[in-house]
Amino acid sequence: MESESPTETKKGKSKTPKKAKESILKQKSPAEFFAENKNIAGFDNPGKCLYTTVRELVENALDSAEAISELPVIEITIEEIVKSKFNSMIGLVDRERVDEELYDDYETAKAREKRLAKEARAQEIQAKNAALGKKVKEHAVSKSSKGRGEASFYRVTCRDNGRGMPHDDIPNMFGRVLSGTKYGLKQTRGKFGLGAKMALIWSKMSTGLPIEISSSMRGQNYLSFCRLDIDIHRNIPHIHLHEKRDNKDKWHGAEIQVVIEGNWTTYRSKILHYMRQMAVITPYAQFLFKFVSDAPDKNVTIKFARRTDVMPPVPVETKHHPSSVDILLIKRLIAETSKQNLMQFLQHEFVNIGKPLAERLIGEMGPDFSPKMAVKSLTDQQIVRIHQLFRQAKFDDPSGDCLSPAGEYNLRLGIIKELHPDMVATYSGSAQVFEGHPFIVEAGVSVGGKDVKQGLNIFRFANRIPLLFEQGGDVVTRTALKRISWNNYKINQTQDKIGVFVSIVSTKIPFKGTGKEYIGDDISEIASAVKSAIQQCCIQLKSKIVKKMQAREQQERKRNLSKYIPDATNAVYDVLKEMAKSHASKKKRYEEGDADILRKVSDHLITKETLYEKLTQHVEKVDYEMALEYATQTGVREEPREDIYLQSLDGKDNFFDFHSPIFVFRLFL
Amino acid sequence: MADKKKRRRADSDSDSASQPFKNLLKSDAQILQILKSVTSSSSSSTSKPLTLADLALSSTCREVSDLSLSSVQSTIESLVLQLTHQILSGQGFSFTVPSRSSSNQLYVPELDRIVLKDKSTVRPFSHISSVRKTTITAKILSLVHQLCLKNIHVTKRDLFYTDVKLFQDQVQSDAVLDDVSCILGCTRSSLNVIAAEKGVVVGRLIFSDNGDMIDCTKMGMGGKAIPPNIDRVGDMQSDALFILLVEKDAAYIRLAEDRFYNRFPCIIVTAKGQPDVATRLFLKKMKTELKLPVLALVDSDPYGLKILSVYGCGSKNMSYDSANLTTPDIKWLGIRPSDLDKYKIPEQCRLPMTEQDIKTGKDLLEEDFVKKNPGWVEELNLMVKTKQKAEIQALSSFGFQYLSEVYLPLKLQQQDWL
């Protein structure tokens, strides 16, 4: 969870506008900027806003639980609020329309005539079709154009079992844009401290309702409750209520509730996809997703159960790699460092600079640098020189130790759990580097499964969050479609149900475009890492597929061979019969061995059945030999076993043990 | 006489401005004189064709020959007896089939045709990958045996329909039929299996088909269908000066309707695209019996040249019988890539070559039968370089009869062939 002590202002980013008297120069608060450009943060339209709100809340919840190494349990509820209910919520009286013509969707007499005529025609056609026994298509109800007044509202609630937030920090964590705990160099889901605040800004823009937060930290005997909204012009929280309440169940975590305008109909599938893919990449979490509305048939409840209790390690914050810093960043590091001289500064503020290297670097910088010089006294020119050297010098690549990939085990489990594929292979690449930032590519390829469509199904993850939009330009999509020759791995790109999962983690994911939606195809380091990871999976699959094909061949060989015996014997026997005839009539002379056969054919000692039997015996012999050979070749090899995770029961110690010499059977009551 | 009148009318109608190069044409009599001299020189220079044995290649290369029905029958019978011995001894059975894959083909420059090398593959019944083909081979053998006994001809289609369930697809029974020819060492015609009629011939040719005398000048516009069983064709007579091989039906119809063969005595043949066995055999027979030069009129694209090469050097699929199927010394008359500019064929009638076309063109440049003719290499290089192709019909942009009225006469007059 994002936290910040309210007294400290972060790096001057949240400047309050000064009151300029005569200047027409205006300043904007960050909150104002994001309110006006909300598409940057993925709040393009009501539907997308609903999706992004869910997404931001879920990701914050996961981060929060993982931060205290707690297996995440997350409940997300979307509740549809009809207009009248919404009005009563905000204390507005529902008013009937008086002046009908005032409204945008008012139908003039002419338009009405037209519509009725059209509907009558449509009905006529339908009746005709029905009479002809044609398949009657569901007649699309002519949609009345939805005016802005018809907006739908949703209450989104997200509850987790995470760290919770300190009582006093809560207002700033939600009411101040661009303040957060995730600014360090570290693999995180969120980055800019925008998510929850954007949801709040959107709710303020669309409904005017405040956000409600309940939170409690571990071992805290009270529960913080806060209702607040944001003062957009000043970028500060506007607190309605902030109090401590009883925490009877010793609960820790956070529950955030926000009411926003949205569109469930159009973004339903996106939201469900998001939840499903999140479940794939975080199989150690348990999600409960609910959609509640007045129409019971529209309600959705999905539980994504936990499949493992192995959690990836918490990513650690790391220092900057010299080749990834810019001048501004060097200046900031100098301002923040506790080290006195240049030598210590280089050694301690960057990764992969040891003492010998630091000495060599300082020597290379020029005569006006020395190891003992005070780092705070560096001039602008000198800093530029350091930056230039950092760009050109050779450094060891940063290690991937600071990263926390999902892990092959988790990825595999996630795939198996959500897709139930026939076959799955996973691969985890070693850490590689792009512009000084380490990254790890993990991939999984599955074949078959339920609810999987034919062809390629691509699932993309960046820093363990699913990416759903802008699929076309993404490096993973393009690699899987264009640079993998599936045929080489005995996989049919159009017929088989192929699942391709690629997860990329990095301290900095090079997203393209404004939203965190896709990773460009122009970074060759990432493109080649993705390609080789997918290929590695395919190689594993190929051997499995080939084995399967061989096994099938083994099983069906006898049948496939035997199938042709009648045709073959008939063909041979037909010729023999004709020959026997001409032999009997002495038309032609044959050698002794051949003549003997023909005589036997004439005397019915060799018949079609004789040939059939001999050929069948031969096929059986061959089949036996080949089966034996196959068995000796493959040996009694077993697939590697996978651990299965049995969910522990919350039951008390109320059980019987049935003992046997080799196992214990425990029956819970 | 009637045609002369017709031609004169055509002459007066056509505008010489819209038919470029028409003024270059000499009188028909002069052109005929040129052609006569060519024909007499070519017919006198023909020598006995070389064989594999002449080149001491008979041991490393495989060739089939025409066999009589009875010898085909006895070859099949001894093969079947072998199979029976194998089956009865409990070893299953297998065929040894000469490989017809492209790696087993060899172009022999001295012969100017593709021949089959001696590699063979074993086709055992008791292997999952070959059981099907082996069964089909046995079935075809037994069917051909029946044909021998009854002494009748059937088409490939007939053969396929004897057991659709086993063959599944005519392509499969056709392929095995070629295998059987190779196994038995005889030509496909010796198996008494023929393909449906495809090729047609029209012009100054008289021959007997199954005893009936056919005059190809009196066959109407469509001409005479080339008989599928060449062994019943004989007694060829002709006063033609050359044989004109046409790739396409459309150009053939134009020439036949204009009775081009009466203006310049010739025989016009087409197989409507890729030539079938009967047309190739027929052309070969005409060439050897009448000793006439063969001029080819094909599209200016890689496939035109490919078709030309099939007539000339044989196809890879039937290289085992290339001695009987190929007609050496076919001249490339047109339409050649250089003609596009020479005859000022307008841009809108030329087509850009596709990637596939260019690839085929480049592949052809690697083929030995193209390389042996420097003129062809030059033309093909030009085609690949300009990336333009044109069909024979492109000439119609100067009038439908430009082909027969101007282009061909001019080509003949200039002896413009390679």
Side-chain angles (χ1 to χ4, degrees), chain B residues 139-157:
Chain B
K139 179 79 187 175
I140 297 271
L141 271 175
S142 115
L143 288 170
V144 172
H145 187 250
Q146 276 182 41
L147 296 180
C148 294
L149 287 173
K150 293 180 183 144
N151 191 16
I152 48 165
H153 288 83
V154 296
T155 63
K156 287 174 12 177
R157 191 77 182 155

Side-chain angles (χ1 to χ4, degrees), chain A residues 95-240:
Chain A
R95 290 197 189 279
E96 288 294 309
R97 287 181 183 185
V98 183
D99 184 359
E100 285 284 353
E101 284 176 46
L102 182 70
Y103 296 92
D104 184 35
D105 54 359
Y106 174 74
E107 202 170 28
T108 57
K110 230 179 179 176
R112 186 183 161 80
E113 224 167 76
K114 239 180 174 172
R115 178 174 61 86
L116 287 178
K118 198 177 165 190
E119 277 172 11
R121 253 203 319 278
Q123 252 169 13
E124 219 169 276
I125 293 168
Q126 217 175 3
K128 227 185 243 171
N129 283 349
L132 289 171
K134 275 188 200 164
K135 209 172 153 191
V136 183
K137 253 197 256 165
E138 194 82 24
H139 184 60
V141 187
S142 54
K143 273 183 197 158
S144 57
S145 60
K146 242 187 187 175
R148 280 194 58 78
E150 295 297 313
S152 348
F153 299 97
Y154 301 88
R155 177 186 288 126
V156 182
T157 313
C158 179
R159 185 183 169 93
D160 64 52
N161 60 341
R163 178 167 58 184
M165 291 160 279
H167 182 78
D168 295 331
D169 287 352
I170 294 174
N172 269 319
M173 292 176 85
F174 286 91
R176 199 189 286 272
V177 170
L178 296 181
S179 69
T181 49
K182 298 177 185 169
Y183 286 115
L185 190 66
K186 165 175 161 180
Q187 175 197 329
T188 49
R189 290 195 171 88
K191 201 90 222 179
F192 309 113
L194 264 183
K197 292 120 198 171
M198 281 306 299
L200 177 54
I201 290 176
W202 172 243
S203 87
K204 200 174 160 69
M205 287 171 86
S206 58
T207 66
L209 287 170
I211 192 169
E212 284 180 8
I213 303 127
S214 322
S215 160
S216 181
M217 298 182 74
R218 255 186 194 163
Q220 220 169 248
N221 54 6
Y222 61 87
L223 191 129
S224 315
F225 179 83
C226 188
R227 185 184 299 133
L228 62 92
D229 65 24
I230 184 169
D231 183 333
I232 288 183
H233 301 291
R234 288 162 57 205
N235 191 25
I236 53 166
H238 176 236
I239 301 166
H240 297 218

